[in-house]
Structures are given as structure tokens and as C-alpha cells.
């Protein structure tokens, strides 16, 4: 691939803006509250866009495009069922506790509600997960630049070996993120996330428009791919009759309730953006504003995958298209369409499934479509959009890490007597450490072909029981610290046991499960993950209730502002704009997402 001067200019201008925002934010990051929580002075609409942008990282932009190519429009369930209801719930019900308690982080809320051991468990696991997540985003960006041959020509011109492209890409991305987070803290990250959100839209909306023109619009996709790809609820009565491999209950309970609420309502990466808002009302509206945007994100991240598989199935649209499930076996390596056959990195040979058929490399669906459709100039915008998504993922995890490390680990267990300037310095050092550790995690990821699948599984282990703990802690005053800690441990252990005793269809025992023995086979890895979450959540809920009933609860007087029944109801509104009141806005979001589900059912 050859980039023109305009493309390089667009990429360079983006990097200058990113660094400039960090420098500008540094002038207002003079205290620890400024650095970690942006002084709690950010408007609701900015927090809302940052709330969604922090989640719009590598796994979403590339991963959802890949899932769109593999599973079809049913991938939109990760948004319409797996995000919007949870975002409404946290805005209407949970933000009053987070913001009103003045907790500086989610683990700190757990300390205020329960005890130190529950906080320590959550903070330690979360800190490790943010580093791994950031490293995977960094690795994915460097690998993508290497695969797309973005820097081949410049490296050849100055006589550097092509193998250095991967290392230079990682170090460059790390340096850019380090500068604007180290200087500007959360404020620098938030305003960069807003910029990156608009870049992602600017880069992918034209891609969808051009791609749809080539395949004949939505009707063309329906004709080429059929209902299993273009109807979200097609075959959901049984796990064996749809592409996701899950039935309606597993989808609704596993994804729609446990995993989605576990992530959107308890993950500090996104909650931190709402906690930076300038008022309680703004904090509550932050996830609701984000929900209004989130429900339309599938049209710019999933549709590229659908378009790519349609062009791969019938590249010339002159005759009958091969069904997508048989596409990989029919594609020749010299004419792979948009999505190439996946090649084993060690042998250079096509990777085969359990039935001996070549697999498609779905992760390259969106990047290859971008290369195919965009001319010079627009190609620079598209590549900048990809870079923005990866840097968003890195920066979001680093800002969450530096806050949790400083407040919930360092201040809580290492040095409690420091002044504000001391913790500001520690926060900046934690930022540097987080970025350097992410570089190490990126190289770790390069050693394992399935590290991302493993990470997603571990996140399911963590988020599911944590949501049960929060649900009981916020809405049942009888929940005790001993119950919460024991329940968290039991939920995670149950997830591990369930994973060890089950296996997705056509997989072998190992990282994908079955390492304790195979007592049940799921139609897909997706189904296994959903049911792992259901078991983990249920175990945590049951054990927490049982242990809480057997131990002494805290007095009611200590739980004001931490438990729903003991907290005065929030009555603040938005003057002159009743429609922006959180309950009303939340209702509008739910109605809108139901309409979308009905349209694409």
C-alpha cells in the first residue's frame, strides 16, 4: 500500500492535535483531583462522547467488524441488548451512588460500602486487566500497520529493515499516549476521546456508504447473504439454528443482563468518564447521552464486516453467490476477495478448522475493505480513524489504571500520609509505568495467537460476579463485606470450573475449555462465554446472600448514600428541559432501541 502526501498530512495533523490537547490540558491539571477526575468540571455532552469513545477501541472497531462478517447483523445484539439497557440503568439508578458518595473510583466505592479486602480484590484484578487490555490495543495497532504495509516505503527509503516496523509502531503509539496522559491526565484523555470519536465517524461512515453502493445497498446484502446474516433474531429459538450459536435465553440473560450490566455498570474505565462530570445531573445524563449515540454505532462498525463478506462471497455480483459458510473453502489464495484466508504465522500455510476447511481471517475485514474502497486522501482519514480507535483503547485503560493504582493500591496500602502534590506525582509515575507495562503486554500478546480470546474470557470471569456484588450492595442493605468478598471469590471460581468442564463445538481441550474434562459441548465459543457468565453471576449472588445472612450487617446510619433504600431520592432536573431529565431520557433510549430491534428482527 502506498500513501500519498495528503494521507501522510492527515495522519501528521492528527498526531499534532492529540499532543496539543495534552499540552493544553496540562495547564489545568495542577492537583490530583484535576489529574484523576478532571476536576469534576466536564460538561455532560463531552463526558457522554468520552464515555462511548473510551469503549470504541481496537476490540470494538476491528472485532465488531470481524463479528459482523462472521455472525451478521445479530452482532448488533452486543449494542441493542448488551449495552443500551445497562447504560440506562447506570444513568438512572447507579450514578447517584457513584457520584453522590464522592468515591474517586469504583474500588473505593466498594470500600465505602463493604470493606478493605473487597476493595483490594477488585482493585488488584482491575489494574492487571487494564494493562493487558492496553497492551492488546497496542499490539493490534502495530500488527495492523505491519500487515497493511503502511510504513514499508519510508523504511525502505531510509534503509531500515521491515521487521522494525512492528517495534517502531508500538513505541510510537506508546510515546504519544504517554505524553498526553502524563501531561493532561483524565482531562487530556477525555478531550482527545471526543476528537477521536468524530474521527472514527468521519473515517467509517464514508466507508459504509461506498461499500453499500458496491453491493447494491441493504437489499443487495439481503440478496447475497440471506436472513441468517441480515436478520438479528433469525433462528434464536434454538442455539443450533442461528450463527451466534445461542438461544434467546442465553442471549438475553448471558449478554443482555449479566455481561452487559457487569461491564457498563461496574467497569471503572467507563464509569470514570461520568464521575468527571460537573454535577450530579450531568453525571447521570452522561451514560444516557452515550446510549443515544451507541445504538447507532453498529451501522459504522458492523456493516463494514457484512459488506466485506458479501464482496468475498460474490466479488463480481454477476452470478449466484456462494453461501458464506462455504466461502472459505471456495476462495483461492490468489483471489481472496476482501477477506483473505487466515494463514498460520509459523508455517505460512492456511489455517484449517476441525473439518479440514480453510478459515477466513475475519479480523482483516474492515481494514481490507478500507484499502479497497478509499482513494488517496480518504485513505489517510480511514487509517487515522483506525489509529484513533486503538489510541482511545490504550489511553482509556491507562487513565483508569493510574487512578486505581494511586488511590486504591498505593495510598491505601503503601503511603497514606502524602499531600496532594505527592499523589499527583505518583499518578504521573503510574501513568509512565502503565504505558511501559502495556508495551510489555503488547509483546506478550504477540507470543500467543489467541491472547485476545483469553483476555475476553477472563474479563467475563471478573465482570459477572462483580455485577452481582454491586447489585446486592446497592439495593440490599443486609449485604455484608464478608458476603461480598466470599461471593466474588466463589463467582470467579465457578466460572473457572464451568469453563474447565465445557467446550465449544469442534474445539480441542485447552485454552478454549475442557481442561477438567468435557461434560457439555456448546454450539459456539460465544454460547460458552454467555453461560460461563450466567453461572458465575448466579454463584456470586447465592453465596453473597448466604454469607451475608450468617454475618452481622453494618448499621443503617453508616450506609446513607451507599444503599438505595437509605439514600434520599434524587430530584434534580434540567431547568427548562424536562426531556433531559434522566428518567425521561432513559425511557426515550429504551423505546428507540426497541424500535431498532423491531426493524432488524
Amino acid at each position: 500500500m502506498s500513501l500519498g502526501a495528503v494521507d501522510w498530512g492527515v495522519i501528521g495533523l492528527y498526531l499534532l492535535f492529540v499532543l496539543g490537547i495534552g499540552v493544553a490540558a496540562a495547564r489545568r491539571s495542577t492537583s490530583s483531583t484535576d489529574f484523576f477526575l478532571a476536576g469534576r468540571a466536564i460538561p455532560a455532552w463531552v463526558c457522554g462522547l468520552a464515555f462511548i469513545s473510551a469503549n470504541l477501541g481496537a476490540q470494538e472497531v476491528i472485532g465488531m467488524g470481524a463479528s459482523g462478517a462472521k455472525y451478521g447483523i445479530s452482532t448488533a445484539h452486543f449494542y441493542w441488548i448488551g449495552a443500551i439497557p445497562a447504560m440506562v440503568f447506570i444513568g438512572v439508578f447507579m450514578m447517584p451512588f457513584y457520584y453522590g458518595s464522592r468515591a474517586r473510583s469504583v474500588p473505593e466505592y466498594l470500600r465505602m460500602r463493604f470493606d478493605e479486602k473487597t476493595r483490594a480484590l477488585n482493585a488488584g484484578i482491575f489494574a492487571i486487566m487494564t494493562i493487558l487490555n492496553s497492551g492488546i490495543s497496542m499490539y493490534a495497532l502495530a500488527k495492523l500497520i505491519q500487515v497493511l504495509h503502511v510504513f514499508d516505503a519510508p523504511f525502505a527509503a531510509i534503509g531500515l529493515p521491515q521487521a522494525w516496523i512492528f517495534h517502531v509502531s508500538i513505541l510510537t503509539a506508546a510515546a504519544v499516549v504517554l505524553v498526553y496522559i502524563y501531561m493532561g491526565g483524565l482531562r487530556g484523555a477525555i478531550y482527545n476521546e471526543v476528537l477521536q470519536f468524530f474521527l472514527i465517524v468521519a473515517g467509517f461512515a464514508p466507508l459504509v456508504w461506498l461499500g453499500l453502493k458496491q453491493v447494491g445497498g441493504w437489499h443487495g446484502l439481503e440478496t447475497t447473504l440471506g436472513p441468517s446474516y441480515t436478520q438479528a433474531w433469525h433462528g434464536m429459538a434454538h442455539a443450533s439454528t442461528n450463527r451466534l450459536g445461542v438461544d434467546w435465553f442465553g442471549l438475553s440473560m448471558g449478554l443482555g443482563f449479566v455481561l452487559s450490566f457487569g461491564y457498563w455498570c461496574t467497569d471503572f474505565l467507563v464509569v470514570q468518564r461520568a464521575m468527571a462530570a460537573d454535577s450530579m445531573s450531568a453525571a447521570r445524563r452522561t451514560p444516557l447521552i452515550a446510549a443515544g449515540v451507541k445504538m447507532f454505532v453498529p451501522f459504522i462498525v458492523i456493516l463494514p464486516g457484512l459488506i466485506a463478506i458479501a464482496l468475498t462471497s460474490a466479488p463480481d455480483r454477476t452470478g449466484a453467490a456462494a453461501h458464506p459458510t462455504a466461502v472459505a473453502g471456495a476462495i483461492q489464495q490468489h483471489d481472496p476477495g476482501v477477506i483473505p484466508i487466515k494463514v498460520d504465522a509459523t508455517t505460512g500455510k492456511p489455517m484449517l478448522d476441525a473439518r479440514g476447511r480453510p478459515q477466513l481471517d475475519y479480523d482483516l475485514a474492515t481494514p481490507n475493505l478500507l484499502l479497497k474502497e478509499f482513494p488517496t486522501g480518504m485513505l489517510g482519514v480511514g487509517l487515522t480513524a483506525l489509529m484513533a480507535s486503538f489510541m482511545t483503547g490504550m489511553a482509556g485503560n491507562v487513565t483508569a489504571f493510574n487512578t486505581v493504582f494511586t488511590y486504591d493500591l498505593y495510598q491505601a496500602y503503601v503511603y497514606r500520609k502524602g499531600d496532594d502534590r505527592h499523589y499527583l506525582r505518583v499518578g504521573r509515575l503510574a501513568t509512565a509505568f502503565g504505558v511501559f507495562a502495556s508495551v510489555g503486554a503488547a509483546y506478550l500478546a504477540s507470543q500467543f495467537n489467541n491472547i485476545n480470546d483469553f483476555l475476553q474470557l477472563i474479563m467475563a470471569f471478573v465482570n459477572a460476579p462483580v455485577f452481582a456484588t454491586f447489585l446486592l450492595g446497592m439495593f440490599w442493605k443486609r449485604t455484608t463485606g464478608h458476603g461480598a468478598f466470599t461471593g466474588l471469590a466463589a463467582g470467579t471460581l465457578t466460572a473457572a470450573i464451568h469453563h474447565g468442564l465445557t467446550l465449544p463445538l469442534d474445539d480441542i481441550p485447552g485454552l478454549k475449555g475442557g481442561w477438567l474434562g468435557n461434560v457439555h459441548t456448546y454450539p459456539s465459543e460465544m454460547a460458552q462465554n454467555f453461560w460461563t457468565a450466567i453461572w458465575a453471576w448466579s454463584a456470586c449472588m447465592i453465596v453473597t446472600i448466604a454469607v451475608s445472612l450468617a454475618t452481622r450487617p453494618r448499621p443503617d446510619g453508616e450506609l446513607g448514600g451507599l444503599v438505595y433504600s437509605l439514600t434520599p431520592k434524587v430530584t434534580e432536573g434540567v431547568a427548562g428541559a424536562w426531556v433531559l431529565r434522566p428518567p425521561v431520557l432513559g425511557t426515550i433510549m429504551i423505546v428507540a432501541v426497541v424500535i431498532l430491534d423491531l426493524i432488524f428482527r
Side-chain angles (χ1 to χ4, degrees), residues 193-218:
E193 285 161 0
V194 173
L195 168 67
Q196 289 157 346
F197 170 78
F198 286 114
L199 278 173
I200 291 169
V201 173
F204 289 106
L207 179 64
V208 172
W209 181 70
L210 291 172
L212 284 176
K213 282 185 64 178
Q214 186 163 350
V215 300
W218 183 255

Side-chain angles (χ1 to χ4, degrees), residues 2-348:
S2 179
L3 297 180
V6 176
D7 300 315
W8 286 112
V10 171
I11 294 173
L13 190 62
Y14 161 69
L15 294 176
L16 285 176
F17 265 99
V18 166
L19 295 174
I21 289 173
V23 172
R27 299 174 182 175
R28 300 185 61 185
S29 298
T30 57
S31 69
S32 62
T33 301
D34 291 331
F35 188 79
F36 296 117
L37 291 174
R40 293 187 185 262
I42 306 295
W45 73 270
V46 174
C47 289
L49 291 180
F51 191 95
I52 187 175
S53 185
N55 176 252
L56 204 56
Q59 288 91 337
E60 178 127 1
V61 172
I62 300 299
M64 288 301 175
S67 294
K70 186 175 182 179
Y71 301 118
I73 197 64
S74 57
T75 306
H77 288 312
F78 283 88
Y79 297 82
W80 300 337
I81 292 178
I84 306 304
M87 294 166 81
V88 170
F89 186 81
I90 185 177
V92 174
F93 295 105
M94 294 182 71
M95 279 315 301
F97 300 111
Y98 285 138
Y99 198 89
S101 67
R102 309 302 290 181
R104 298 168 296 183
S105 67
V106 168
E108 186 169 60
Y109 171 83
L110 288 176
R111 179 194 64 78
M112 296 168 70
R113 174 60 183 89
F114 297 119
D115 51 28
E116 281 288 353
K117 64 179 180 294
T118 306
R119 172 207 216 177
L121 178 63
N122 181 253
I125 293 175
F126 180 78
I128 294 171
M129 293 309 301
T130 54
I131 293 299
L132 291 176
N133 244 334
S134 178
I136 284 177
S137 292
M138 197 176 290
Y139 164 73
L141 173 60
K143 191 66 177 177
L144 186 66
I145 289 174
Q146 188 179 44
V147 169
L148 297 182
H149 307 289
V150 175
F151 293 142
D152 283 12
F155 271 63
I158 59 179
L160 292 177
Q162 301 295 304
W164 286 20
I165 293 176
F166 180 81
H167 310 298
V168 171
S169 299
I170 283 183
L171 295 177
T172 301
V176 172
V177 171
L178 174 60
V179 168
Y180 78 76
I181 299 299
Y182 186 91
M183 297 182 69
L186 182 61
R187 180 178 279 105
I190 284 177
Y191 281 103
N192 263 314
E193 285 161 0
V194 173
L195 168 67
Q196 289 157 346
F197 170 78
F198 286 114
L199 278 173
I200 291 169
V201 173
F204 289 106
L207 179 64
V208 172
W209 181 70
L210 291 172
L212 284 176
K213 282 185 64 178
Q214 186 163 350
V215 300
W218 183 255
H219 178 70
L221 285 177
E222 290 179 315
T223 302
T224 302
L225 300 177
S228 69
Y229 265 89
T230 58
Q231 294 179 10
W233 289 95
H234 179 82
M236 283 294 173
H238 301 284
S240 60
T241 57
N242 65 82
R243 303 194 64 82
L244 281 175
V246 297
D247 58 17
W248 65 271
F249 179 79
L251 179 74
S252 302
M253 182 68 179
L255 173 63
F257 181 62
V258 178
L259 286 177
S260 67
F261 281 71
Y263 175 76
W264 291 102
C265 296
T266 68
D267 196 306
F268 185 55
L269 170 65
V270 289
V271 174
Q272 186 182 29
R273 273 70 192 155
M275 293 172 71
D278 57 11
S279 67
M280 171 71 81
S281 179
R284 297 182 72 194
R285 283 184 284 124
T286 290
L288 301 177
I289 293 170
V293 179
K294 183 77 171 178
M295 70 178 70
F296 297 105
V297 169
F299 298 116
I300 63 171
V301 298
I302 294 176
L303 279 186
L306 278 165
I307 294 166
I309 194 65
L311 293 174
T312 302
S313 303
D316 56 7
R317 294 185 49 79
T318 59
H323 193 277
T325 56
V327 170
I331 294 174
Q332 300 299 317
Q333 281 189 282
H334 66 271
D335 184 21
V338 176
I339 306 177
I341 289 174
K342 193 174 185 66
V343 176
D344 191 299
T346 57
T347 65

Side-chain angles (χ1 to χ4, degrees), residues 80 148 170 245 273 290 299 346 357 419 444 516 519 563 585:
W80 300 337
L148 297 182
I170 283 183
R273 273 70 192 155
F299 298 116
T346 57
R357 299 175 302 185
D419 58 16
L444 178 65
L516 291 177
V519 300
V563 178
L585 197 57

